[in-house]
Amino acid sequence: MEEKKKKDWFKIKRYPHIGLPLDNRDRFKWIENYVTNPEMIAKHSFLPAEDGSVSEKYKADEKILRKEAVKKRELFYASHLDSLIFSYYAQLLSGYYETKIKELNLNEVVNAYRSVPVNPEKDNSSNKCNIDFANDVFKHVLNYKENEFTVVAFDISSFFDNLNHKLLREIWADVMGVRKLPNDHFNVFKNITRFSHVDIVDIFEEFKDKIYTRKKNKFGEPLEIKQKEVDCIRYLRNQDAIAFCTEKDFFKLKGKLLQPSKTKKQKDGSIVYRDFGIPQGSPISSVLANIYLLHFDKTINKFISDNGGIYRRYSDDMVVVCPLNIKEKLSELVYKEIEKYKL
């Protein structure tokens, strides 16, 4: 059976950010050569991410007031070129990760952020969705041979927000089969863990009278780029906004708009960078969340399999079907192992 065609990492984002969006026509002119060149990425300067958590939280008759916004989960969006870099390195890491989980017999265990075919024997098989994954577990429950068994569900609190940076770097290298991250991977790691960002409200307020916009004609062809005033942040899409400002304009106001990586205050009053957490919304965050628990999955799956049960994980949600008499040992093992990963 021929290997399925890999999902293309190249996807131009359309949300307004710092700098004008990229053009699909430039993929083979310079973008792909740049993104796939390790030497270039090793010295690439990433732009601040955009905290877009509040962009859709305003009522029609409201002015932009931060206190009125309700943030349930922070979502950070990389600039257009940075997003492509993260996408490309996510694809590279996914390849290493897929090889690892097959070696460790975890292919059926990890369900989230992966393409798992419904029928692996068919080249054109569709991929499983959440319903399929849930149905697989229900089938195990219905067909379980033991008279006394249990189904146990676990949830990891604030998963993405608590991934330890040192452990993440170690498992990143481990998945790649190297002792130390190559310079290009290290630069990507550094910028996904210690990233600076701008708040979408702040940057909109600063540039709202000169937002870059571009409409399309009736044939879908882009027209001339223009700058115009946009009254409210919720009108950005309606007004065909493509950028808040150029990189040059942003750096003139960098000190005013830039918010550094999250920090924590020590007992002596000193400030240090927080050594845990990665942003949600980045193209690489999902695969990092998967590789982070590689050895946790291996340990739990072996224990459960040896005792005639099954273990499945979908990101931060885990479910186990196992004999009733190992339930307490299972709980002890899960809590013991998860502590090793600072979760």
Side-chain angles (χ1 to χ4, degrees):
M1 181 178 69
E2 294 184 4
E3 185 178 352
K4 287 182 177 292
K5 185 178 180 180
K6 290 183 179 179
K7 185 178 179 181
D8 192 4
W9 57 270
F10 189 92
K11 186 177 181 180
I12 298 293
K13 303 297 184 181
R14 298 301 176 191
Y15 48 72
H17 208 287
I18 300 166
L20 299 177
L22 302 173
D23 193 316
N24 280 303
R25 294 170 295 184
D26 288 332
R27 173 173 185 170
F28 299 110
K29 289 183 179 179
W30 69 272
I31 297 175
E32 185 156 340
N33 288 336
Y34 184 90
V35 171
T36 60
N37 185 328
E39 292 183 3
M40 299 301 293
I41 303 307
K43 58 185 181 181
H44 176 75
S45 295
F46 288 78
L47 283 169
E50 180 183 287
D51 181 356
S53 311
V54 299
S55 61
E56 302 297 332
K57 303 298 184 183
Y58 300 96
K59 296 178 182 178
D61 58 348
E62 280 183 330
K63 292 183 178 179
I64 297 175
L65 297 173
R66 195 185 311 276
K67 65 181 180 180
E68 296 294 334
V70 179
K71 284 191 180 183
K72 292 184 178 181
R73 176 176 293 179
E74 288 186 312
L75 296 175
F76 294 90
Y77 300 101
S79 69
H80 303 295
L81 182 57
D82 294 350
S83 179
L84 289 179
I85 293 171
F86 287 137
S87 292
Y88 176 69
Y89 278 80
Q91 180 174 289
L92 293 180
L93 269 180
S94 292
Y96 290 118
Y97 179 67
E98 290 295 323
T99 299
K100 276 284 186 182
I101 63 174
K102 285 181 175 65
E103 291 174 358
L104 300 174
N105 295 317
L106 297 174
N107 196 43
E108 296 294 324
V109 169
V110 185
N111 296 155
Y113 317 125
R114 298 177 58 227
S115 297
V116 181
V118 175
N119 187 345
E121 302 302 318
K122 289 187 176 181
D123 291 339
N124 60 345
S125 172
S126 59
N127 292 319
K128 290 184 177 182
C129 65
N130 291 359
I131 295 174
D132 296 306
F133 295 135
N135 191 50
D136 289 343
V137 176
F138 291 143
K139 285 181 180 178
H140 280 284
V141 171
L142 289 171
N143 300 321
Y144 205 75
K145 296 178 181 179
E146 298 288 337
N147 290 327
E148 290 188 325
F149 67 93
T150 185
V151 179
V152 186
F154 297 92
D155 174 77
I156 303 173
S157 300
S158 303
F159 185 33
F160 286 83
D161 293 337
N162 287 291
L163 301 189
N164 181 272
H165 294 168
K166 182 175 182 293
L167 292 177
L168 178 61
R169 185 177 63 189
E170 291 173 354
I171 191 64
W172 192 326
D174 181 29
V175 166
M176 293 181 64
V178 297
R179 296 183 61 184
K180 180 182 178 182
L181 287 181
N183 291 337
D184 56 326
H185 281 262
F186 180 73
N187 196 28
V188 175
F189 160 79
K190 182 175 64 175
N191 282 278
I192 201 64
T193 53
R194 290 181 58 175
F195 64 98
S196 57
H197 69 279
V198 294
D199 194 296
I200 191 172
V201 175
D202 293 337
I203 197 168
F204 173 78
E205 282 291 284
E206 190 64 45
F207 295 102
K208 64 182 180 181
D209 60 337
K210 47 186 175 181
I211 299 289
Y212 285 86
T213 65
R214 179 165 59 186
K215 293 183 178 293
K216 293 182 179 179
N217 62 22
K218 62 181 180 180
F219 303 108
E221 300 166 335
L223 300 176
E224 181 183 358
I225 295 175
K226 296 182 179 180
Q227 284 182 275
K228 63 187 290 187
E229 181 178 354
V230 177
D231 295 330
C232 183
I233 198 171
R234 65 187 181 87
Y235 297 148
L236 287 171
R237 184 189 295 270
N238 177 264
Q239 295 297 313
D240 302 297
I242 60 172
F244 291 108
C245 58
T246 63
E247 292 183 30
K248 182 179 180 181
D249 288 336
F250 169 76
F251 283 109
K252 291 178 182 177
L253 297 168
K254 177 181 175 181
K256 180 180 179 180
L257 294 172
L258 192 64
Q259 300 186 33
S261 302
K262 292 190 175 181
T263 58
K264 60 182 178 180
K265 192 172 184 179
Q266 303 289 78
K267 291 182 179 179
D268 61 4
S270 62
I271 300 295
V272 297
Y273 282 103
R274 195 171 72 171
D275 60 355
F276 57 90
I278 63 172
Q280 294 192 61
S282 160
I284 201 173
S285 295
S286 57
V287 66
L288 294 181
N290 270 350
I291 70 172
Y292 189 80
L293 289 182
L294 176 66
H295 296 295
F296 172 87
D297 290 332
K298 174 186 173 183
T299 300
I300 302 302
N301 187 59
K302 184 179 187 308
F303 174 76
I304 296 301
S305 297
D306 288 348
N307 285 277
I310 65 160
Y311 162 62
R312 299 290 184 267
R313 180 171 67 84
Y314 194 96
S315 190
D316 54 359
D317 293 306
M318 298 170 283
V319 64
V320 171
V321 183
C322 65
L324 185 60
N325 61 5
I326 69 164
K327 180 181 177 181
E328 296 304 321
K329 289 184 179 179
L330 166 66
S331 294
E332 291 175 6
L333 179 63
V334 168
Y335 285 111
K336 175 185 175 183
E337 289 298 312
I338 209 68
E339 286 181 4
K340 294 180 180 179
Y341 299 90
K342 315 293 184 182
L343 298 170

